[in-house]
Amino acid sequence: MRKQKKIISEILCVLILVLLIVPGLFSINTLVSASTTEEDLSGKAGTEAEVLYVQINYLAVRPAKNSTELLGRLLKGDQVTGYRDGVWIRITYGGQTAYIAAKYTDTNPPQAETYYVKAGPLAVRPAKNSTELLGRLLKGDQVTGYRDGVWIRITYGGQTAYIAAKYTTEEVVFPKTGIRKLDMVLAQARKWIGTSDENQGHKYIIDTYNEQPNLPRGYPMRYDDPWCDAFVSFVGIQTNTTDIIGREVSVYYHMKFFMNKDQWIEDGTITPRPGDLISFSWSATAQPNDNFPDHIGFVEGIDDGYIYTIEGNASSIEDSSSEDHKIGYVERKRYAIGSSVIRGFARPEYK
């Protein structure tokens, strides 16, 4: 009996030990598993590359977190690819590992501001205070960019460039006239600025014209034809105003169209109105200019002795034909009032 009690006592001790040890083992396993999970998670943190955009001007790029050394600066709108590391983003800059403050970045690019040139020609430069000239913008030109002190940073010809902010405004320079059809025509013409032979955009203009029934003289345009008047007709087609501004590809016959409506002004020296059609003859050297007309465009506005136009198949060089320079653009141009190359004006009845 005493022996049996001893055995039972030993069994109870073993059971107690088991009850004490086994939960501990489970606890250890749980801790190990939790620790492993945390390690796995921490190992994965920051391994996913993100595309981010700088939200401020001049974001410092540093060789290490909390470093005071400066490797360079990123500009507002710059795109970077990097890895989150706490309050920092780890990137590659100049071929080496670098860090930028995460709070000044976002997955969405910052909103660019829209500006209009209020005084031109406005020099476009590759850097602030540079004397090098990349090109010029004309009064009324619209640009998008980021304010940078007394400058505006824009993209021009595919590269970063700068213009003087004081010659720009956030208001449209040539405001609406209040004449609905006229405003529609000029707005449509502005939409196509930048179209050219080079980017093949002129093909859509010519195709749209060619799709119209009863083409004048039955002539469908070719892509290598001069397309200044096709652009005028295209704007009329897009705005359903061909009854007002005509539908032609010949400047000479377009001039006749307005003569028949008693809307042609045979005087290249007058001050025109917005919405007039302006005709040119490049070979003339003085007024009066009664040479054969060979180019046409829209008058957008008049300011300080200059006529501002929007033209199709225009040259990038002032007072010259696109045929002299092989590439035609839809472009905003300007001419001195009374310039020798102005052949005359048409004044459509938009009302």
Side-chain angles (χ1 to χ4, degrees), residues 161-223:
Y162 292 84
I163 57 175
K166 67 181 179 179
Y167 299 118
T168 68
T169 176
E170 295 181 5
E171 302 295 326
V172 175
V173 172
F174 295 115
K176 292 182 177 180
T177 64
I179 303 171
R180 188 179 67 84
K181 289 185 178 180
L182 168 54
D183 289 335
M184 277 194 330
V185 164
L186 292 180
Q188 182 67 215
R190 292 181 188 112
K191 280 176 59 176
W192 297 90
I193 290 174
T195 301
S196 72
D197 299 343
E198 193 171 41
N199 61 30
Q200 303 293 299
H202 77 302
K203 290 184 176 180
Y204 181 75
I205 292 170
I206 292 172
D207 288 344
T208 301
Y209 174 82
N210 285 341
E211 288 168 1
Q212 303 305 301
N214 304 317
L215 294 176
R217 294 167 302 285
Y219 179 75
M221 285 197 68
R222 304 191 309 264
Y223 292 141

Side-chain angles (χ1 to χ4, degrees), residues 137-342:
L137 298 175
L138 292 181
K139 182 171 182 175
D141 280 350
Q142 176 183 315
V143 294
T144 57
Y146 301 102
R147 188 67 182 254
D148 189 353
V150 298
W151 299 87
I152 295 171
R153 179 165 45 86
I154 64 173
T155 299
Y156 184 86
Q159 72 178 84
T160 298
Y162 292 84
I163 57 175
K166 67 181 179 179
Y167 299 118
T168 68
T169 176
E170 295 181 5
E171 302 295 326
V172 175
V173 172
F174 295 115
K176 292 182 177 180
T177 64
I179 303 171
R180 188 179 67 84
K181 289 185 178 180
L182 168 54
D183 289 335
M184 277 194 330
V185 164
L186 292 180
Q188 182 67 215
R190 292 181 188 112
K191 280 176 59 176
W192 297 90
I193 290 174
T195 301
S196 72
D197 299 343
E198 193 171 41
N199 61 30
Q200 303 293 299
H202 77 302
K203 290 184 176 180
Y204 181 75
I205 292 170
I206 292 172
D207 288 344
T208 301
Y209 174 82
N210 285 341
E211 288 168 1
Q212 303 305 301
N214 304 317
L215 294 176
R217 294 167 302 285
Y219 179 75
M221 285 197 68
R222 304 191 309 264
Y223 292 141
D224 59 349
D225 284 339
W227 49 277
C228 61
D229 210 358
F231 175 67
V232 172
S233 299
F234 169 79
V235 170
I237 293 165
Q238 296 294 93
T239 56
N240 197 29
T241 56
T242 54
D243 60 319
I244 296 172
I245 64 176
R247 182 166 60 90
E248 260 296 348
V249 292
S250 162
V251 181
Y252 172 78
Y253 283 108
H254 216 151
M255 183 175 75
K256 293 294 185 184
F257 168 83
F258 287 109
M259 284 180 172
N260 291 336
K261 297 181 74 170
D262 198 26
Q263 294 174 351
W264 178 257
I265 302 170
E266 186 71 16
D267 184 354
T269 65
I270 69 160
T271 299
R273 300 174 186 171
D276 284 357
L277 296 182
I278 181 171
S279 175
F280 301 89
S281 181
W282 303 119
S283 58
T285 57
Q287 290 287 353
N289 178 347
D290 57 2
N291 292 11
F292 191 82
D294 47 26
H295 187 65
I296 194 168
F298 293 98
V299 174
E300 183 184 23
I302 300 90
D303 184 73
D304 197 24
Y306 286 95
I307 302 166
Y308 289 83
T309 66
I310 301 173
E311 305 165 24
N313 198 38
S315 166
S316 58
I317 309 299
E318 285 192 14
D319 293 352
S320 64
S321 165
S322 63
E323 294 178 22
D324 298 334
H325 306 283
K326 308 305 180 187
I327 297 175
Y329 302 83
V330 177
E331 192 163 83
R332 184 177 274 114
K333 304 291 293 290
R334 76 166 192 166
Y335 305 87
I337 292 174
S339 169
S340 64
V341 298
I342 300 174

Side-chain angles (χ1 to χ4, degrees), residues 29-46:
N29 285 336
T30 302
L31 289 171
V32 170
S33 297
S35 175
T36 302
T37 302
E38 287 171 7
E39 287 177 5
D40 288 344
L41 287 173
S42 64
K44 289 180 181 177

